[in-house]
Amino acid sequence: MKAFTALVSICAVAAGTYALLTPRDDTSVCAGAQVVHTSAIDIGSGKAIQLTTFSCDGPAVHANDDPSPTSVAPSVPFPTVNVCGELCSDVCGDSGSLPPVTEDCATIVDAVTILNGSVAPTFEVDSGHVQTLSFGTCRFFFENFSPFPMSNCWLSFVQIASAAASACLPPVQPVNSEGLCVASDGTWRIGVAHS
């Protein structure tokens, strides 16, 4: 029995090390991902979360995606659509081999909670762009599939991503590597996955 316990412990350490050292490419964010802007936000204790905006040729491919397009670009400008506090539906899927480490995701939530009040309460994401917050193995993301710019609240964003993590990631079985919350009209989604 001790040998079995030791073997399980060694396997857990090996899997965790693999997750920390395995680089993820930007194609898991969206098809044709190009970094538009990136910055580090110092959250104290020598920790920093990465804030990155990507432009996309198309959405990331997720296990439960409907391949049909969701909208057509308008010919006239349209004001920014605010989706702060809007409802969405949780969907579990796989975007890689391992889920993020729970503590890394909690660091992102804590950082946004702490920074609330010292940064603008909302952020804007252009059509066909993705906004990400990353720390360690965890990445929270907001994908805008609509033809219009969208805005969201930081607190709502991390609360929805956390709820998707709770619904989809370990200890929930079966093990998924991604939790999504998809808008009913398919124009946006918030998710959590391995960074």
Side-chain angles (χ1 to χ4, degrees), residues 109 112-113 116 121 153-160:
V109 173
V112 170
T113 304
N116 193 36
C153 310
W154 286 111
L155 286 177
S156 176
F157 168 55
V158 297
Q159 290 168 345
I160 291 170

Short mmCIF file of all heavy atoms in Angstrom, two decimals, residues 109 112-113 116 121 153-160:
data_model
loop_
_atom_site.label_atom_id
_atom_site.label_comp_id
_atom_site.label_asym_id
_atom_site.label_seq_id
_atom_site.Cartn_x
_atom_site.Cartn_y
_atom_site.Cartn_z
N VAL A 109 -8.31 36.22 -9.27
CA VAL A 109 -9.52 36.76 -8.63
C VAL A 109 -9.13 37.74 -7.52
O VAL A 109 -9.68 38.85 -7.45
CB VAL A 109 -10.40 35.62 -8.07
CG1 VAL A 109 -11.56 36.18 -7.26
CG2 VAL A 109 -10.90 34.73 -9.19
N VAL A 112 -7.80 41.12 -9.01
CA VAL A 112 -8.84 42.01 -9.53
C VAL A 112 -9.64 42.60 -8.38
O VAL A 112 -9.97 43.79 -8.40
CB VAL A 112 -9.76 41.27 -10.53
CG1 VAL A 112 -10.99 42.10 -10.87
CG2 VAL A 112 -8.98 40.92 -11.79
N THR A 113 -9.91 41.82 -7.36
CA THR A 113 -10.64 42.32 -6.20
C THR A 113 -9.84 43.42 -5.50
O THR A 113 -10.39 44.46 -5.14
CB THR A 113 -10.95 41.17 -5.22
OG1 THR A 113 -11.68 40.15 -5.92
CG2 THR A 113 -11.76 41.65 -4.03
N ASN A 116 -9.62 46.60 -7.69
CA ASN A 116 -10.89 47.29 -7.91
C ASN A 116 -10.88 48.62 -7.15
O ASN A 116 -10.60 48.67 -5.98
CB ASN A 116 -12.04 46.41 -7.44
CG ASN A 116 -13.37 46.92 -7.92
OD1 ASN A 116 -13.47 47.43 -9.02
ND2 ASN A 116 -14.40 46.77 -7.09
N PRO A 121 -13.19 50.47 -13.73
CA PRO A 121 -14.00 49.30 -13.38
C PRO A 121 -14.39 48.43 -14.59
O PRO A 121 -14.84 47.31 -14.42
CB PRO A 121 -15.23 49.88 -12.72
CG PRO A 121 -15.32 51.27 -13.25
CD PRO A 121 -13.92 51.72 -13.53
N CYS A 153 -17.29 44.45 -16.98
CA CYS A 153 -16.75 44.87 -15.68
C CYS A 153 -15.71 43.84 -15.24
O CYS A 153 -15.93 42.63 -15.40
CB CYS A 153 -17.84 44.90 -14.62
SG CYS A 153 -19.31 45.79 -15.07
N TRP A 154 -14.62 44.32 -14.67
CA TRP A 154 -13.59 43.39 -14.20
C TRP A 154 -14.15 42.40 -13.17
O TRP A 154 -13.88 41.21 -13.26
CB TRP A 154 -12.42 44.17 -13.59
CG TRP A 154 -11.57 44.85 -14.60
CD1 TRP A 154 -11.46 46.20 -14.81
CD2 TRP A 154 -10.72 44.23 -15.58
NE1 TRP A 154 -10.59 46.44 -15.84
CE2 TRP A 154 -10.12 45.26 -16.33
CE3 TRP A 154 -10.41 42.91 -15.88
CZ2 TRP A 154 -9.22 45.00 -17.36
CZ3 TRP A 154 -9.52 42.65 -16.91
CH2 TRP A 154 -8.94 43.69 -17.64
N LEU A 155 -14.93 42.90 -12.21
CA LEU A 155 -15.45 42.00 -11.17
C LEU A 155 -16.40 40.95 -11.74
O LEU A 155 -16.32 39.77 -11.39
CB LEU A 155 -16.13 42.79 -10.05
CG LEU A 155 -15.20 43.53 -9.10
CD1 LEU A 155 -16.00 44.33 -8.09
CD2 LEU A 155 -14.27 42.56 -8.39
N SER A 156 -17.29 41.36 -12.62
CA SER A 156 -18.20 40.41 -13.25
C SER A 156 -17.41 39.37 -14.06
O SER A 156 -17.70 38.18 -14.01
CB SER A 156 -19.18 41.16 -14.16
OG SER A 156 -20.02 40.27 -14.85
N PHE A 157 -16.41 39.83 -14.79
CA PHE A 157 -15.55 38.96 -15.59
C PHE A 157 -14.92 37.85 -14.74
O PHE A 157 -15.04 36.67 -15.06
CB PHE A 157 -14.49 39.83 -16.28
CG PHE A 157 -13.36 39.09 -16.93
CD1 PHE A 157 -13.58 38.11 -17.87
CD2 PHE A 157 -12.05 39.42 -16.62
CE1 PHE A 157 -12.53 37.45 -18.49
CE2 PHE A 157 -10.99 38.79 -17.23
CZ PHE A 157 -11.23 37.79 -18.17
N VAL A 158 -14.27 38.22 -13.63
CA VAL A 158 -13.60 37.19 -12.82
C VAL A 158 -14.60 36.33 -12.06
O VAL A 158 -14.35 35.14 -11.83
CB VAL A 158 -12.51 37.76 -11.89
CG1 VAL A 158 -11.39 38.41 -12.68
CG2 VAL A 158 -13.07 38.70 -10.84
N GLN A 159 -15.75 36.90 -11.68
CA GLN A 159 -16.78 36.09 -11.02
C GLN A 159 -17.33 35.02 -11.96
O GLN A 159 -17.51 33.87 -11.56
CB GLN A 159 -17.90 36.97 -10.47
CG GLN A 159 -17.47 37.82 -9.30
CD GLN A 159 -18.47 38.90 -8.94
OE1 GLN A 159 -19.37 39.23 -9.71
NE2 GLN A 159 -18.30 39.51 -7.77
N ILE A 160 -17.59 35.40 -13.20
CA ILE A 160 -18.11 34.43 -14.18
C ILE A 160 -17.06 33.38 -14.51
O ILE A 160 -17.37 32.18 -14.58
CB ILE A 160 -18.61 35.16 -15.45
CG1 ILE A 160 -19.87 35.96 -15.13
CG2 ILE A 160 -18.87 34.17 -16.59
CD1 ILE A 160 -20.32 36.89 -16.24
#
